[in-house]
């Protein structure tokens, strides 16, 4: 029996030696997965929407035609009684006069969550997302030129790129997912995405904003979120978000239904469908930025760690 003991000892050593060098590699791999590419892609998307919708004659004609399809203006939208524009109606946040209160309440909630959970870096990043999105929206609306390339009527020359009403729910949703617990992050994202689908679709259908302005605001918020997550330290950056397999399908299906109802009008089916499609695209962009992209990054790096 003693003659067989020595051969059994080396049999376990190669396995231990194969596993030992892999442990220090994990931190270096995690540092290489910082999400700088999404920030660039969302920024390029924002510029593309602006150049195509605002700076080309055919883009201006397409969006201006949508404004001419509704004879009665915003009153024909199904959600008009909730817009706050009707006399005595209570606006759905952040429409009409509820925009600034909604923004202030959202910032206060982010601060409270940051203090309670003591997530200092994510909290600062969340505040940065909201401030950069809403502040950048104001700067861009006043600085980006909107040339009149098609001889449009005066009422269609207002500068509204990007949409402020859409920027608020998009920014607050993306900021919230940074400061909440990873376990409830998908459900917070779902709530915010449904809110965004409603506001984006209604903003496009009531005549206050063109579809390109609504998409531009959402892409601006996603770009700020991508920049914030890129600048976060690796230990504080949001990791993979685990959610039920059916949740993405349920969320996007509900977002489509909400967008269809919020964008519906009594006078034109075309404008209703275009507005609903705009709201749904905005919801899908924010969902992918908040939940889909980190999970995809984690799946891509998992084989390298094994």
């Amino acid at each position: 029996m003693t003659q067989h003991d020595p051969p059994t000892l080396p049999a376990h050593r190669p396995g231990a030696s194969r596993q030992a060098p892999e442990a220090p590699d994990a931190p270096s791999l995690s540092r290489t997965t910082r999400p700088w590419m999404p920030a660039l892609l969302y920024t390029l998307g924002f510029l593309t929407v602006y150049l195509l919708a605002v700076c080309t004659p055919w883009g201006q004609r397409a969006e201006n035609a949508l404004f001419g399809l509704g004879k009665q203006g915003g009153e024909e939208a199904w959600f008009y009684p909730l817009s706050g524009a009707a006399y005595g109606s209570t606006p759905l946040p952040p429409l009409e006069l509820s925009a600034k209160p909604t923004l202030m309440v959202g910032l206060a909630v982010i601060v409270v969550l940051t203090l309670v959970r003591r997530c200092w870096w994510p909290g600062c990043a969340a505040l940065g997302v909201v401030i950069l999105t809403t502040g950048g929206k104001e700067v861009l609306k006043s600085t980006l030129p909107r040339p009149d390339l098609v001889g449009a009527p005066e009422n269609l020359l207002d500068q509204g790129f990007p949409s402020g009403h859409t920027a608020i729910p998009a920014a607050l949703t993306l900021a919230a997912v940074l400061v909440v617990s990873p376990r409830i992050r998908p459900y917070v994202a779902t709530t915010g995405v449904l809110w965004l689908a409603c506001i984006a679709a209604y903003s496009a259908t009531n005549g206050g904003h063109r579809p390109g302005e609504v998409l531009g605001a959402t892409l601006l918020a996603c770009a700020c979120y991508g920049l914030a997550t890129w600048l976060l330290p690796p230990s504080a950056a949001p990791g993979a978000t685990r959610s039920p397999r059916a949740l993405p399908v349920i969320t996007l299906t509900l977002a489509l239904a909400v967008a269809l109802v919020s964008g519906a009008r009594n006078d034109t089916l075309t404008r209703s469908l275009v507005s609903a499609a705009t709201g749904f695209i905005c919801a899908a962009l924010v969902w992918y930025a908040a939940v889909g992209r980190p999970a995809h990054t984690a799946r891509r790096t998992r084989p390298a760690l094994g």
Side-chain angles (χ1 to χ4, degrees), residues 60 63-65 67-68 146 152-159 210:
Q60 288 191 4
E63 290 200 316
N64 290 345
F67 278 69
R146 185 179 184 87
E154 185 177 355
N155 64 318
L156 297 180
L157 299 179
D158 293 337
Q159 171 59 288
R210 299 166 176 81

Side-chain angles (χ1 to χ4, degrees), residues 53-96:
V54 179
C55 299
T56 62
W58 55 270
Q60 288 191 4
R61 289 192 183 97
E63 290 200 316
N64 290 345
L66 292 175
F67 278 69
L69 292 176
K71 298 180 180 179
Q72 302 298 326
E75 293 83 356
E76 290 297 311
W78 289 9
F79 260 51
Y80 180 74
L82 299 177
S83 67
Y87 180 77
S89 64
T90 301
L92 179 69
L95 299 176
E96 294 295 332

